[in-house]
């Protein structure tokens, strides 16, 4: 640790008020030269808002910002970029319709005779991505690449833009361990170069691995800033949630698995180009964890089971009877539920209220002729807002105004409200804070104990180990292994994923 | 005969304005009929009210090498260049139903009625009918900016000048349509004390008059008696109204412009007879005295 | 081939094929006269459609261009009739007004967060209304300079000619292509089409770009109005009704997505040619009733959309299999 | 209940104010504007004219609202209104054929949008271009005059002192609003409009609802077509519904429904349509020369839209919230 103590970026008494919510309340934040500064807090604490105020994406309502001791007032993100602040925002990625190179150099394309020099731009883009061990066709549209690759490109852009400050808002949420490692290497290098780096995440290990100092926000207020080395994890968590966390998050699985009868059977189930045909049995009271690298076909597996994509081979049985799962509706009729991983495009219905988002699936299943009364809707919504601790001013707030993690919880509530018998969760804990994280893990356990069948996709292997009764490992869009009983350990899973694995980075 | 035999090889292009009204549909039908009778191969192009489409069509006709072109121009200006091209290609052009603002050696002849004259006939009839009594007139104009709207207004006003007893109290556009004619008439009636102030209605076409007649009836007045109705075109429906005593007079605009045009063309093909520069069709005035029902029956089948 | 070029390629292939079909039936369609006419007759539409392409690429729409064309024409006619101003000065003035008008619409769209559809719809009423107020008559433009301008053309063998305005359209397309693909502004336009919120966070000056896009569309509509006034030697407030729809159709046929973010200026050129070809064919045939023209154009639009859907779908599934 | 009513009034407040201001302005240039009297067994006066003349746009706006709520747009309504043309059949037959045509057109649009996944603006552009052509093909471009008393009654009859077209749109509008709001349809449609993918994944029958929305719009267009035809006792394929789609879209936007889909209000759209008609009628009554029609209309509409725009609106709501001094709690009130 060698931060030279000098403040690179100083924000004092930052205020931000949204209609109906005070997101930031006189928050101070100081970033030193050559440090990695973790910004932590629960969902909705105001982390993303603070970042956006710093980069001019939001107009702050009060407070001053000093960069290198000089007062600055970035009017917009372009302005911030010019000042040397590069940012990866939460949720928002890049422009899917532009090429990789254009995304990297948007607004600063190399020019010759006043015209964009496309050749030079593509060359520079390739050189830039070399650092990230990505060998892409940079002239292709960004949306022909996976979410993970897009995220890396976003990071590469931000890093390249950050002359002085690099801000990363949950950059690792959709990265695997290998990619996180790579990112950290780059962060350390930038740090050595004297940049200040702001790092937001809900993964505490990563915080301890990379950060020098930690600033914690709670309910829009500053709780405090500490040296990472001297802050106990336990203390950090109570700083974040304002109380002691009842139990350590990753308790080992207690008790023996109650193996009910096989309820769902898929045979030779698959879809060309999406996922190779696989066999899968799921019992009542079972949690099937799906492990695999990014792009290994986990989401595709979930989507095909739920009928979001039609299977083109094999057959499905529910309780011994053959069924057609050709659409989500059909699947829902058989009491399936599915929390998609991409909550912005496939999950939330942004302009509708939290209440409507929660009752949506239930109402859809009842059909339009049997509306839930307003009283009933309020009851359901209030119940889950309390049960899942969804932080919202009131249930009529449009869901898009909630913080990322709270949106995720509302979607979970949407499915729980339908009382499903088979629930598929794709990355349910992504972007969720420690407290809520533990709650969701507990919830999964509880649902299983009630006899529900679950399938959970997660990139956090520890977490999978915690609640899965069986683990299916995917590689290259194939189901390659299944682990059961005491074979469910992190090491075994990693070995199954890694064996004979070389990930073909496009 | 000899004339029609040579006409059999004739290819004639016809650039029609569009199909915006019953009258125009009738003109199209009659033109096609006339061509068929004479064994002329008619190339028909509908411009959908757009001059640019008409210019395009004319250019295509020229490129195709037709023997003659009929043009019903949507607007008077802007034809010099393309007419010059036709002239260079030695293709005679005959204007139908409206004229253009171009030097008259660019086309062979124009078969039109005189739009100003039509308005004039209507105005004269009204002046004669009220015979010196004071009379407030409301006017339903055609589509704002279209040449019939401008000219029929002009002609009508000319006929009125010198008759101080006749006064146009309100004038609005009814877009040549029945719906707007009715809507605008309704507001005229409201604005002029329930129609008690209005003695006559002048509509730039019959369709608007037909709509307005309904509005007058719904206001509890008798069209044709309480409010005189005079309009232009002589489409079948106005004769029905006249038979019922609800309309008083209409000025005919014949849809058969092609007949005289083809005749002139045949004469020119046969021995090079140059027709006069303007073949004016008759602007005949019909009133309730002209056995409207009979005319209605005669006109019914013409595709109005 | 990259999937993004597929719709454009398909459009070109279809154009060539249908041209060949037309020529088989009416050999005259191959004549330089028809080719020259295709350029001259569609010059004003093409120029306006370039502006429309930028607007649509950015995810917007501009319904006002037909009215702006009419307004420019009337404005020129009135100015040239009533004052001694040289046409070139009048052109500059008209272009300035049209550009400002577009910029104003862009500013309203951006700052008041109103949908482009509505803002430009109001703009369409307003521009046409201003034309009416200037003059409801069609006014002939008799200035000798117009004659001079019309005298410039390049004679092709076989009687056809590339007129000044036809050449101008080609030039506008060339510049349009350059702007779209070789300037930062061009990329910013595509970026807006990809998502305004994201573009904003990535540092695209959204406000400035939006205003510039509509100003460009206004400028080109103004230029198109000048071309139209050259074409007809007149100004008329009822002129160019519905040109915006023709332009949109050309843009769509050219393979640009109405949702924005994907497409080519060059595609629009092909779209213009295809529309022109259809019209030429219908005139050559000369037996189709007026209403059939509308039905046919509607049908063709439908077929084109279906085809593009098909191509995109096929290329997606191929990509997956690969 | 009163809280809900108050919420409703608050939602419609901008439209109501705009309407009041316009009516006042008209009455300034035309003093007899508010006069109503009974004639021929029905109310008679300029206000009634507005309601009566507004019928086609109101009807189109009702369907358009639902379509726009699904993030769609229906450009074909004018052409569909024009194609609702039949003659020489009995009244019942005419109605069946006409309404059937409207539904069929809606089905076509809906299938293009929902199944073939074509952008609504283009999908409906096809019918907008071709539809009028088909209508003209049927009528051969002529105005078909009819004398069926039943049909004429639809256009100019009256009931309970109101012209029948007014009754028709009132009843139809209330019916649609009830169906949409008393069932879950409204919410499901809004969900589709905001995020179609998420709605489908939540089990909403997206394609069916989308098609239904376009069919409703087609039905509205057909009814509007019937009224327009009955009004002039003739079917005019050339001019019926010309540019009406734009007025309908404007009405919806003036009513405050976003073109991006989502939240909608039928009542507000109806008010929007009435506002547009008031402007039209006002211009006619004012006696200005017709060349000023467009510019007056455009200026007023721009003014209303600017007042409606999110930034200006937000400023208003902010003030309103300050006044109310507390958060809405109607939920608990019950
Ligand atoms: N545009 C907005 N309008 C209204 N309220 C907002 C808006 N954006 C954020 N908020 C509110 O501000 C608070 C802070 O949100 P923010 O996104 O900063 O949280 P966060 O700390 O990043 O949470 P997460 O870890 O879930 O991403 C939340 O209560 C949220 O509901
Ligand atoms: N190597 C690759 N190159 C390009 N695209 C890829 C690659 N691998 C996967 N993809 C794309 O990325 C998307 C993600 O794949 P999928 O959803 O099956 O993976 P996953 O294991 O669920 O990963 P994630 O954790 O990101 O959801 C797929 O649509 C696939 O087409
Ligand atoms: Mg956040
Ligand atoms: Mg996944």
């Amino acid at each position: 640790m060698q931060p030279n103590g000098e403040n690179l970026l100083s924000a004092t008494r930052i205020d931000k008020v949204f209609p109906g919510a005070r997101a930031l309340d006189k928050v101070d934040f100081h970033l030193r030269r050559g440090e990695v500064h973790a910004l932590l807090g629960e969902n909705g604490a105001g982390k993303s808002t603070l970042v956006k105020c710093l980069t001019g994406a939001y107009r702050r309502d009060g407070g001053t910002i000093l960069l290198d001791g000089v007062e600055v007032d970035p009017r917009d993100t372009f302005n911030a970029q010019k000042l040397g602040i590069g940012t990866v925002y939460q949720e928002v990625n890049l422009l899917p319709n532009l090429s990789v190179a254009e995304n990297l150099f948007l607004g600063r394309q190399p020019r010759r005779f006043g015209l964009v020099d496309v050749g030079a731009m593509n060359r520079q883009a390739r050189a830039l991505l070399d650092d990230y061990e990505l060998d892409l066709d940079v002239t292709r549209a960004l949306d022909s690449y996976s979410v993970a690759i897009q995220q890396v490109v976003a990071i590469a852009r931000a890093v390249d833009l950050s002359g002085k400050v690099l801000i990363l808002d949950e950059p690792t949420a959709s990265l695997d361990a290998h990619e996180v490692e790579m990112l950290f290497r780059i962060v350390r290098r930038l740090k050595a170069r004297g940049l200040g780096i702001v790092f937001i995440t809900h993964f505490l290990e990563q915080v301890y691995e990379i950060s020098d100092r930690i600033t914690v926000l709670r309910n829009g207020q500053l709780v405090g800033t500490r040296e990472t080395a001297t802050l106990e994890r336990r203390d950090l968590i109570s700083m974040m949630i304002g109380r002691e966390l009842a139990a350590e998050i990753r308790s080992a699985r207690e008790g023996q698995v109650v193996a009910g009868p096989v309820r769902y059977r898929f045979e030779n189930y698959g879809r060309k180009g999406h996922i190779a045909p696989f066999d899968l049995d799921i019992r009542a009271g079972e949690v099937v964890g799906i492990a695999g690298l990014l792009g290994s076909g986990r989401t595709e597996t979930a989507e095909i089971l739920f009928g979001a994509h039609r299977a083109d081979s094999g057959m499905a049985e529910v309780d011994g009877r053959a069924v057609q799962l050709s659409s989500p509706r059909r699947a829902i009729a058989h009491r399936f539920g599915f929390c998609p991983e991409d909550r912005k495009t496939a999950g939330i219905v942004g302009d509708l209220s939290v209440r409507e988002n929660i009752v949506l699936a239930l109402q859809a299943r009842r059909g339009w002729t049997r509306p839930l009364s307003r009283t009933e809707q309020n009851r359901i919504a209030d119940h889950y807002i309390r049960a899942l601790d969804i932080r919202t001013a009131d249930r009529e707030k449009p869901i898009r105004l909630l913080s990322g993690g709270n949106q995720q919880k509302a979607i979970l509530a949407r499915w729980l409200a339908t009382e499903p018998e088979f629930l598929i969760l794709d990355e349910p804990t992504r972007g969720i804070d420690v407290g809520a994280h533990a709650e969701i893990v507990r919830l999964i356990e509880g649902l299983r104990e009630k006899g529900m069948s679950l399938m959970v996709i997660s990139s956090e292997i520890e977490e999978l180990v915690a609640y899965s009764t069986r683990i299916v490992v995917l590689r290259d869009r194939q189901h390659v292994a299944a682990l059961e009983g005491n074979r469910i350990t992190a090491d075994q899973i990693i070995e199954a994923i890694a064996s004979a694995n070389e990930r073909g980075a496009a | 005969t000899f004339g029609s035999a040579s006409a059999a090889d004739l290819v004639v292009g016809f650039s029609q304005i569009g199909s915006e009204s019953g009258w125009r549909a009738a003109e199209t039908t009659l033109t096609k009929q006339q061509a068929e009778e004479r064994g002329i191969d008619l190339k028909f192009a509908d411009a959908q009210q757009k001059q640019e489409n008409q210019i395009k069509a004319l250019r295509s006709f020229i490129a195709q090498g037709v023997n003659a072109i009929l043009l019903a121009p949507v607007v008077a200006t802007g034809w010099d260049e393309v007419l010059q091209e036709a002239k260079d290609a030695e293709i005679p052009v005959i204007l139908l139903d409206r004229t253009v603002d171009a030097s008259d050696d660019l086309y062979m002849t124009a078969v039109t009625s005189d739009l100003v004259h039509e308005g004039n006939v209507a105005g004269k009839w009204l002046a004669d009918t009220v015979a010196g009594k004071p009379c407030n007139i409301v006017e339903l104009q055609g589509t704002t900016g279209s040449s019939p709207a401008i000219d029929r207004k002009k002609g009508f006003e000319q006929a009125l000048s010198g008759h101080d007893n006749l006064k146009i109290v309100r004038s609005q556009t009814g877009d040549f349509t029945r719906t707007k004619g009715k809507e605008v008439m309704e507001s005229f009636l409201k604005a002029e004390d329930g129609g008690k102030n209005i003695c006559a209605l002048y509509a730039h076409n019959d369709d608007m008059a037909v709509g307005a007649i309904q509005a007058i009836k719904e206001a509890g007045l008798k069209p044709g008696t309480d409010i005189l109705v005079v309009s232009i075109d002589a489409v079948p429906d106005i004769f029905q109204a006249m038979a019922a005593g609800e309309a008083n007079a209409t000025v005919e605009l014949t849809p058969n412009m092609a007949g005289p045009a083809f005749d002139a063309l045949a004469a020119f093909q046969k021995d090079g007879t140059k027709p006069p520069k303007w073949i004016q069709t008759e602007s005949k005035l019909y009133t309730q005295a002209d056995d409207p029902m009979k005319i209605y029956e005669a006109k019914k089948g013409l595709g109005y | 081939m990259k999937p993004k070029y597929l719709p454009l390629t398909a459009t070109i292939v279809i154009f060539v094929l249908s041209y060949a079909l037309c020529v088989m039936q009416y050999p005259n369609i191959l004549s330089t006269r028809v080719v020259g006419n295709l350029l001259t007759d569609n010059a004003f539409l093409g120029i306006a459609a370039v502006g429309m392409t930028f607007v649509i690429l950015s995810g917007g729409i501009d319904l006002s261009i037909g009215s702006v064309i009419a307004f420019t024409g009337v404005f020129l006619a009135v100015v040239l009739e009533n004052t001694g101003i040289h046409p070139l000065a009048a052109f500059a003035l008209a272009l300035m007004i049209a550009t400002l008008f577009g910029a104003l619409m862009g500013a309203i769209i951006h700052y008041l967060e109103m949908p482009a559809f509505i803002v430009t719809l109001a703009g369409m009423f307003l521009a046409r209304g201003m034309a009416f107020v200037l003059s409801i008559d069609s006014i002939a433009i008799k200035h000798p300079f117009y004659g001079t301008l019309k005298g410039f053309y390049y004679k092709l063998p076989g009687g056809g000619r590339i007129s000044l305005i036809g050449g101008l359209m080609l030039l506008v397309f060339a510049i349009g292509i350059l702007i779209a693909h070789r300037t930062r502004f061009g990329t910013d336009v595509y970026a807006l089409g990809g998502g305004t919120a994201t573009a904003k966070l990535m540092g695209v000056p959204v406000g400035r770009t939006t205003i510039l896009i509509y100003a460009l569309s206004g400028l080109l509509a103004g230029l198109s109005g000048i071309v139209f006034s050259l074409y007809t030697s007149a100004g008329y407030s009822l002129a160019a009704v519905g040109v915006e729809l023709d332009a949109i159709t050309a843009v769509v046929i050219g393979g640009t997505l109405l949702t924005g973010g994907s497409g080519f200026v060059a595609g629009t050129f092909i779209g213009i040619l295809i529309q022109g070809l259809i019209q030429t064919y219908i005139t050559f045939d000369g037996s189709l009733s007026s209403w059939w023209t509308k039905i046919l154009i509607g049908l063709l639009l439908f077929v084109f959309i279906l085809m593009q859907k098909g191509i995109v779908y096929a290329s997606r599934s191929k990509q997956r299999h690969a | 209940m009163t809280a809900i009513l108050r919420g409703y009034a608050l939602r419609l407040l901008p439209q109501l104010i705009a309407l009041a201001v316009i009516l006042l302005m008209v009455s300034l240039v035309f003093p007899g504007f508010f006069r109503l009297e009974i004639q021929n067994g029905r109310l008679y006066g300029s206000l009634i004219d507005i309601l009566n003349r507004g019928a086609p746009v109101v009807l189109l706006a009702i369907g358009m609202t639902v379509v726009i709520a699904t993030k769609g747009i229906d450009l074909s309504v004018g052409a569909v209104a024009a194609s609702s043309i039949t003659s020489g059949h009995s009244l019942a037959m005419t109605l069946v054929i006409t309404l059937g045509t409207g539904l069929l057109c809606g089905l076509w649009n809906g299938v293009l949008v929902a199944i073939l996944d074509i952008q609504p603006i283009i999908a409906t552009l096809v019918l907008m271009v071709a539809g009028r052509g088909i209508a003209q093909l049927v009528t051969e471009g002529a105005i078909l005059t009819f004398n069926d008393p039943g049909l004429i009654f639809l256009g100019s009859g009256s009931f309970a002192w109101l012209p029948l077209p007014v009754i028709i749109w009132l009843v139809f509008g209330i019916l649609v609003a009830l169906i949409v709001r008393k069932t879950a349809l409204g919410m499901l449609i809004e969900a589709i409009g905001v995020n179609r993918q998420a709605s489908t994944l939540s089990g909403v029958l997206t394609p069916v609802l989308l098609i239904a929305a376009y069919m409703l719009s087609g039905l509205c267009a057909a009814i509007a077509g019937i009224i327009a035809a009955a009004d002039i006792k003739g079917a005019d394929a050339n001019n019926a519904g010309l540019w009406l789609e734009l007025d309908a879209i404007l009405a919806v936007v003036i009513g405050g429904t976003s073109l991006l889909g989502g939240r909608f209000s039928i009542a507000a759209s109806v008010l929007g349509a009435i506002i547009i008609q008031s402007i039209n009628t006002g211009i006619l009554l004012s006696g200005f020369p017709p060349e000023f029609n467009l510019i007056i209309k455009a200026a007023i509409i721009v003014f209303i839209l600017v007042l409606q725009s999110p930034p200006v609106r937000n400023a208003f709501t902010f003030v309103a919230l300050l006044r109310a001094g507390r958060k809405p709690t109607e939920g608990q009130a019950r």
Side-chain angles (χ1 to χ4, degrees), chain B residues 280-292:
Chain B
Q280 187 184 357
T281 60
E282 196 185 358
S283 298
K284 186 162 181 245
L285 181 78
Y286 288 94
T287 61
Q288 290 176 353
D290 291 310
D291 192 359

Side-chain angles (χ1 to χ4, degrees), chain A residues 18-19 21 23 42-49 58 90 170 202 397 401-406 431:
Chain A
F18 289 118
E42 288 180 288
N43 295 133
K47 306 178 294 291
S48 301
T49 307
Y58 284 162
Q90 186 182 14
E170 300 200 26
H202 291 292
K397 194 167 176 172
L401 300 183
L402 263 55
S403 79
N406 285 310

Side-chain angles (χ1 to χ4, degrees), chain A residues 147 293-300 302-303 341-342 426-427 430 457 459:
Chain A
V147 180
L293 293 175
L294 288 171
S296 57
R298 298 169 299 174
T299 297
E300 311 279 346
E303 284 175 347
E341 71 175 323
D342 187 351
D426 195 352
E427 304 281 5
R430 179 177 293 174
I457 298 169
S459 301

